[in-house]
Amino acid sequence: MSACVPTRVTDSHQNRTKRAPQPHSPPPPPRRFRIAGADVSASIAVFLIALPLSLGIALATGAPLQAGLVAAAVGGIVAGRLGGCPLQVSGPAAGLTVVTADLIHRYGWRTTCAITVLAGLAQLVLGCLRVARTALAVSPAIVHGMLAGIGVTIAVAQLHIVLGGTPQSSVLANLRALPAQLADVHPADVAMSVLTLALLLLWPRVPGRLGRLMRTIPAALVAVAGATLTASLAGLSLAKVDLPSWSSHALAGLPEGPALGIAAAVLTTTLVCSVQSLLGAVAVDKLVAGQPGLSARVGRSDLNRELLGQGAANIVSGALGGLPVAGVAVRSSANVQAGAVSRNSTMLHGVLVVVAALLMVPVLELIPLASLAALVMAVGIQMVSLHHIRTVTRHREVLVYVVTTLGVVLFGVLEGVLLGVTVAVAVALNRLAHTRITHDEKEGVHHVHVRGQLTFLAVPRLSRILHLVPQGTHVVVELDGSFMDHAAYESLQDWQNSHTARGGTAELTGRRTGVRDTGPDRTGSEAEPADTAAGTTSGTMTGAPARTTADAPTGEPTTSTVCRCHPWTPWRNHQCDHRRSAPTGSHPAERMDQPTHQPPGQSTGQPTDPPAPGTAQPSTPDTAPHPATRTDPATDPGTGTPNHPRTTADTPTASATPTGPDTDTDPDTAVSQLARGIRAFQRDTAPLVRGELARLAKEGQRPSQLFLTCADSRLVTSMITSSGPGDLFVVRNVGNLVPPPGEESGDDSVAAAIEYAVDVLRVRSITVCGHSGCGAMQALLDAEPGGARTPLKRWLRHGVPSLERMADDGRPWARLAGRAPADAVEQLCLTNVVQQLEHLRGHESVARAVREGALELHGMYFHVGEAQAYLLTEADGGELFDGVGVAEVSA
């Protein structure tokens, strides 16, 4: 096996240049245009969906029905050829129905076509300015609210056609006219609409092998065809599609109307077309990532090129008298699921639409309008997504979503989006400015709780509450937020210094990074520098304070320290500044586990005065700690937080007699270490997490991520991800391997965990995390063919594809940003993450969730020695693991 390991580990894939052709060699033969069979079948599937939807959307807008066919053909051919997302299918979109209908009502059809041309020119300008990514910065709550509002508008309008009537110009007008319409129902139209909706809903739900065969035919085509055939055989008298001669088709004219109104119309059309197309391209990327093997053939979308392609398509469509064009989610999803492998499928579908528009007019004129209206009404209802509502609820953006939806329904798309943006900005400012500050006292200790972002706006309230704290008391300031500006930081530090100077003690705690008190101690020694950063003051570990003679309860000269590390904080190896003494000749690492020696006459249960935090210890030969000393790093498996025993140092005596309930007969045994850790958890951490764990026990686990990593003891998953109980569903094995489906050979544990996480827990992301110095990867490199088939060797066979991937010169190597891999082991660790992600995509539940956009896959590499995490990103020429910095996380 080792023979296939490459000997080059520092060469980048960029150095593997192809051999240049000889000067006198014959020119290469011209490439022939070929269309893959998969693209042909996919184009037919998309065409069968696009044809009825294009007619239905044209009907819903009030435009000539040919305009829908023109837009479908142009979207397929022009946007398919020039766009930056090869598998996205463009055409008339339901999201543009309300905008287009309003434009036709206000300015007429020819001016609407001119507005479409101008919107295409605006998209070209935006694409040249390369601002496509900026459009994705719009809050998802606004986008989903806009689409939901458009969906409601479509559904209410088409309901009138379903009932045999004619829709009004606005939602309110349609609602007011609905009672009269219900009193004048046309039975034939209602019957065909009900038949269409029934086929549309039931066709994809037929079970078994027959259902799988039936689902190869799109439900939309079956629904419209079934209604058309039934109406023709029954001889029903109802309105049907009317396609005038192409010779009388209206083209674009010069825009007529107020300049300001035309400009607003162009802006609205540009906004909706661009946002829907770009979001569709991102969704297609997710679908492609869920198809094993397809992601390597179809690269990630170029959003700026996609914007240019959409602009060109709108210019051509508007000039030819077609509807505005945008990326369509339904057709794009069908294109990927049908097996398309290139942009040829999109272009061929446009050609098929042209053929149908020229040769199938007699067949198309048999379609009942009620059937098309029912189809479009179903699409509008689906635009109000329950999944999106749950998402915005979870992120506390329901207000933005509701305001945008109502604004679109009541006032229009542009007005609704502007209202949504206004509310989103107001909510963001409120969250930034709203800080809750409370003060209470428990057992003589004053607690000041600060919840929210600490900015200059909160400084007056903070100062007022801090000055209510009596002088000379012990204060704990708990900062529960992710940001602190300079004004708040200075105010807090000034108060802390003033309070400490007046004999009080102050302790700053929080959730993220360690903070130590910076005030001078009572013995006059210098305090340790504060471990703070601008904007973050959290996750406390205060310095261990000295107790002077005056503090000793018996008045005897003692020098002891009390660890004040808070148990439920990010793990910090518990290297507090203990100044412990021990019997002469004992190693400092052995002295750390020895219990407190009480002075004569003092019981172990006698209370002691709280020492001043931040006080530095005098360094003496008898009390200087060894650099490697630490207490038990017993870590809470749910939070990755240290469970520290609160001990005090031994007094400097010639001997120490172990006393107290935590004393173990043999402190070096694993059993006693486990027992000490459990007791420390029960004493220090359990009281802090009991409420949270009780809530999780009652509500059940709802993790957001499946985290699959190696069983290496140096990887503390909750520590490196800053997660707590209920956040991660963790699967660990030797080498962070994911056996491909069907190759578990009796060990289905990983596949079972993946299925449970995706289908039952509904996790939103899966991360495969490798690490430096992985023993499993070293074993793969060192393995020799043959030998005994031990359980370890049988398990490591799932890593052989990673070894083969690294040895394949046809594939670029995974690499780290900023440096080359240190050796073959590190290169294999990186390659293994990429390969196991590919195995993961092969699992049915994962592939399905990724296609639906409900799941994201991530690769991660953790360098143990550097304590540095790297995330897998797509880069030109291969996979790149980019380092995650503090600034990126804060942002």
Side-chain angles (χ1 to χ4, degrees), residues 270-354:
T270 303
L271 172 67
V272 178
C273 288
S274 301
V275 171
Q276 183 164 345
S277 300
L278 296 176
L279 291 177
V282 174
V284 170
D285 283 344
K286 294 180 180 179
L287 293 176
V288 170
Q291 298 284 346
L294 183 60
S295 57
R297 186 166 182 174
V298 180
R300 292 178 64 87
S301 300
D302 183 343
L303 297 184
N304 290 301
R305 178 179 172 181
E306 179 65 19
L307 204 54
L308 292 172
Q310 296 292 334
N314 273 312
I315 292 174
V316 176
S317 179
L320 295 179
L323 292 171
V325 171
V328 186
V330 176
R331 283 166 248 181
S332 301
S333 175
N335 193 34
V336 175
Q337 293 174 0
V341 294
S342 71
R343 64 178 71 246
N344 292 333
S345 64
T346 303
M347 298 169 61
L348 186 57
H349 124 271
V351 174
L352 292 176
V353 172
V354 173

Side-chain angles (χ1 to χ4, degrees), residues 78-143:
V78 178
R81 178 65 185 89
L82 303 178
C85 183
L87 300 187
Q88 174 162 253
V89 180
S90 300
L96 292 163
T97 303
V98 176
V99 176
T100 309
D102 182 62
L103 294 180
I104 295 173
H105 177 73
R106 290 188 181 186
Y107 303 110
W109 171 241
R110 294 172 64 87
T111 299
T112 300
C113 292
I115 291 173
T116 302
V117 173
L118 294 176
L121 291 173
Q123 287 180 301
L124 289 180
V125 173
L126 294 176
C128 293
L129 294 177
R130 307 186 65 83
V131 297
R133 289 283 175 187
T134 307
L136 299 181
V138 180
S139 170
I142 297 175
V143 176

Side-chain angles (χ1 to χ4, degrees), residues 707 720 767-772 815-821 826 830 833 858-873 880-885 888:
F707 198 85
I720 64 179
T767 301
V768 176
C769 178
H771 68 96
S772 61
R815 63 192 193 278
L816 291 171
R819 66 174 178 87
E826 185 168 47
L830 300 173
V833 172
H858 303 286
M860 178 176 168
Y861 175 73
F862 185 74
H863 195 286
V864 177
E866 298 174 354
Q868 176 63 55
Y870 298 83
L871 288 178
L872 178 62
T873 60
L880 176 68
F881 286 85
D882 198 3
V884 179
E888 298 172 60

Side-chain angles (χ1 to χ4, degrees), residues 460-483:
R461 280 182 292 143
L462 177 65
S463 300
R464 184 170 61 253
I465 290 180
L466 288 176
H467 283 86
L468 294 177
V469 176
Q471 297 180 6
T473 57
H474 180 59
V475 185
V476 177
V477 181
E478 299 180 11
L479 305 174
D480 187 4
S482 59
F483 176 77

